Amino acid sequence: MVKKPPRDTKIGGIQSTKKTSEIDLTTGIESVSGVKATSGITGIGKAERSGVRRPTRTMTLEEREELFRMIDEEAAKMFGAGGIPAEKRELVQTAVKMAVDSGLLDTGGNDDTPQPGPVEPKKVKKKLV
Amino acid sequence: MNREDAVKEAPDGGPTLSIEEANNLVIEHQGWAESIARSVARAWNMDWRSDGLDGAAMEALIFCARRFQPARGVPFRGYARRRIHEASAEAAKRSKTWQRGLAGSDKIEGQARELSAELLNVFPELRSGQLPYPDDSSGDSEGDVRGAIRSLLVGASFIAAKQGISTSLPDEVMDYKRMLIVVASLEAVHQLVLWKVYWEGLSLRNVAVEWETDELNVIREHKAVLAFLFKQLATRKQLNKPKVRPGLREIAMKLRKDKRSAVFTELLKDHT
């Protein structure tokens, strides 16, 4: 059963100011508790993306052969486990070389500067079954 | 200074060069623009003059000089190089040499040109002589270079697979079956990134805009997936598929509910 709140009583009147009483007692100040040990770092919040990307190195024509060598090596690793036929591998390898090569500028910029040979796909010998 | 030489306002409000200044810029960079055209021609075993790359490069140079806004703080060569490369490449694709290559006796060369042209669209930094390095790398180490090359090899394999499958020849599908099986095992969001970029031809930026997310989230996810694919294709062992990075997790969760997003899974079903 819900108890009803007491009825509000009316304000009867304002009494005269009473004399203040003295402070009887002050309780002692409690001792300062010891510093608690810190808890471990629970985690690190995600860093805000700065939106700034580092400048990347531009390849030059002088690095062409080295790049082609790496393309051959990485292609051998990738296709070594089998999968696509040799002709398709050659196609992919040649295409990557062409794409990379197209961005390698000769720093001479001279019309008479002899250009290295074009990227040529290797002739793939088909096995006769 | 007469009215014709007055600084003009570009559409976005920044000042461009006067005609005289733009012409001087063209003269100054003509040799450089020609070297871009020569590099494209060299890569594709074409002649930069007779196949029209020289004219296209000069047109692009003039166009860039007229629109260049120095106040933006971007060096002119950085601004113009990609555009000149694109123009040279487009001219090459329109040439008779290119068309003959597709139908001629050396089909591999013609197909490789087509494939590399698409690869340049997926990895546009190649046009500026840069490799697709990991985001936190400057490309100074051999490891970075090899990582970038792996991304290119996987990317090129995808494009080749798509081109092969589009011929609807069963043999073409079988040639790439192992790769497609690996892709079909990826998270739906990863499959969708690869589908949109390699099958639908969207840029990574377009994908980011479509998904209303930061472009870097998509770029990083794309690179992580390519790195995994390289490792998986290079071994017979079953590797753990990559987890979705925090940037795309929300999208991944939405896509998981939509079974149609497992696009490569569906593709394999249709062709096998």
Side-chain angles (χ1 to χ4, degrees):
Chain A
M1 194 172 164
V2 177
K3 236 183 174 179
K4 285 186 182 177
R7 290 176 67 182
D8 286 336
T9 54
K10 289 183 182 177
I11 297 173
I14 299 171
Q15 297 173 348
S16 60
T17 309
K18 290 181 182 172
K19 186 179 173 182
T20 56
S21 56
E22 291 175 354
I23 297 168
D24 295 328
L25 177 69
T26 54
T27 56
I29 297 169
E30 291 180 9
S31 60
V32 175
S33 58
V35 174
K36 292 179 187 172
T38 55
S39 57
I41 296 172
T42 53
I44 300 169
K46 192 168 101 171
E48 288 297 321
R49 189 184 56 80
S50 66
V52 175
R53 301 180 69 179
R54 288 194 199 171
T56 51
R57 191 164 74 82
T58 302
M59 312 305 288
T60 61
L61 194 59
E62 288 72 30
E63 297 167 282
R64 185 178 189 256
E65 294 312 311
E66 181 67 13
L67 285 169
F68 282 9
R69 182 182 63 79
M70 282 195 225
I71 289 168
D72 288 337
E73 287 171 3
E74 293 303 318
K77 286 180 203 171
M78 177 172 159
F79 299 126
I84 68 174
E87 224 178 70
K88 296 291 191 305
R89 296 182 195 184
E90 203 53 50
L91 174 63
V92 167
Q93 245 173 285
T94 305
V96 171
K97 286 180 183 175
M98 284 178 170
V100 169
D101 194 20
S102 75
L104 304 179
L105 299 189
D106 72 81
T107 48
N110 186 345
D111 274 353
D112 300 327
T113 306
Q115 291 281 308
V119 179
E120 283 181 7
K122 291 177 193 170
K123 300 291 178 189
V124 176
K125 287 181 185 174
K126 285 189 180 177
K127 281 185 183 175
L128 295 172
V129 177
Chain B
M1 184 162 47
N2 59 28
R3 280 186 186 177
E4 285 175 0
D5 286 342
V7 170
K8 285 172 247 179
E9 292 285 321
D12 61 351
T16 57
L17 301 174
S18 66
I19 298 222
E20 189 184 342
E21 286 170 333
N23 289 343
N24 287 339
L25 206 58
V26 169
I27 292 167
E28 183 188 338
H29 291 92
Q30 182 175 349
W32 170 75
E34 287 172 354
S35 72
I36 295 172
R38 281 201 305 276
S39 294
V40 173
R42 179 191 66 236
W44 284 337
N45 193 19
M46 300 172 79
D47 187 285
W48 73 295
R49 284 203 166 105
S50 60
D51 286 318
L53 280 72
D54 55 345
M58 280 308 297
E59 276 182 29
L61 174 64
I62 292 167
F63 178 83
C64 288
R66 298 273 167 92
R67 291 179 68 86
F68 179 55
Q69 295 170 260
R72 285 180 170 248
V74 177
F76 178 70
R77 287 193 179 188
Y79 159 68
R81 182 166 173 173
R82 206 172 273 194
R83 286 159 183 79
I84 296 171
H85 188 289
E86 281 171 358
S88 304
E90 285 305 309
K93 285 159 76 176
R94 288 193 299 268
S95 70
K96 285 181 183 170
T97 306
W98 188 281
Q99 300 307 319
R100 274 200 299 268
L102 292 172
S105 56
D106 200 349
K107 263 191 171 179
I108 292 281
E109 185 177 63
Q111 289 172 350
R113 281 194 197 125
E114 284 279 345
L115 185 43
S116 63
E118 285 216 38
L119 200 58
L120 287 167
N121 291 331
V122 179
F123 298 98
E125 55 266 65
L126 290 173
R127 299 183 191 273
S128 303
Q130 293 169 351
L131 296 177
Y133 299 117
D135 197 40
D136 55 353
S137 150
S138 59
D140 288 325
S141 76
E142 186 174 316
D144 292 340
V145 175
R146 287 184 181 271
I149 286 171
R150 288 172 198 157
S151 292
L152 294 173
L153 286 166
V154 175
S157 299
F158 261 118
I159 297 168
K162 176 215 166 189
Q163 288 175 344
I165 287 168
S166 65
T167 64
S168 300
L169 292 171
D171 287 350
E172 294 285 346
V173 179
M174 293 309 293
D175 285 346
Y176 297 103
K177 189 178 176 184
R178 182 169 176 251
M179 188 177 77
L180 294 173
I181 288 172
V182 172
V183 174
S185 70
L186 294 173
E187 289 277 349
V189 69
H190 290 154
Q191 290 193 39
L192 204 50
V193 168
L194 297 174
W195 182 267
K196 286 187 175 292
V197 171
Y198 294 96
W199 254 252
E200 294 182 356
L202 295 181
S203 68
L204 294 169
R205 180 175 292 179
N206 292 151
V207 176
V209 167
E210 194 178 300
W211 288 352
E212 294 178 356
T213 187
D214 192 278
E215 187 186 352
L216 273 180
N217 287 334
V218 181
I219 290 172
R220 286 171 180 150
E221 208 73 37
H222 175 241
K223 284 187 179 166
V225 169
L226 292 188
F228 163 77
L229 284 172
F230 181 92
K231 282 182 199 164
Q232 181 62 84
L233 291 170
T235 180
R236 292 276 182 202
K237 291 182 204 171
Q238 189 68 35
L239 303 175
N240 292 330
K241 65 183 182 185
K243 292 180 184 172
V244 181
R245 296 160 70 104
L248 293 188
R249 263 192 208 143
E250 212 174 290
I251 294 163
M253 278 167 53
K254 285 180 196 167
L255 290 175
R256 262 186 220 126
K257 294 175 191 173
D258 180 7
K259 289 179 189 172
R260 284 179 301 171
S261 299
V263 283
F264 283 98
T265 313
E266 293 300 317
L267 180 75
L268 265 182
K269 279 184 200 168
D270 292 342
H271 285 85
T272 53

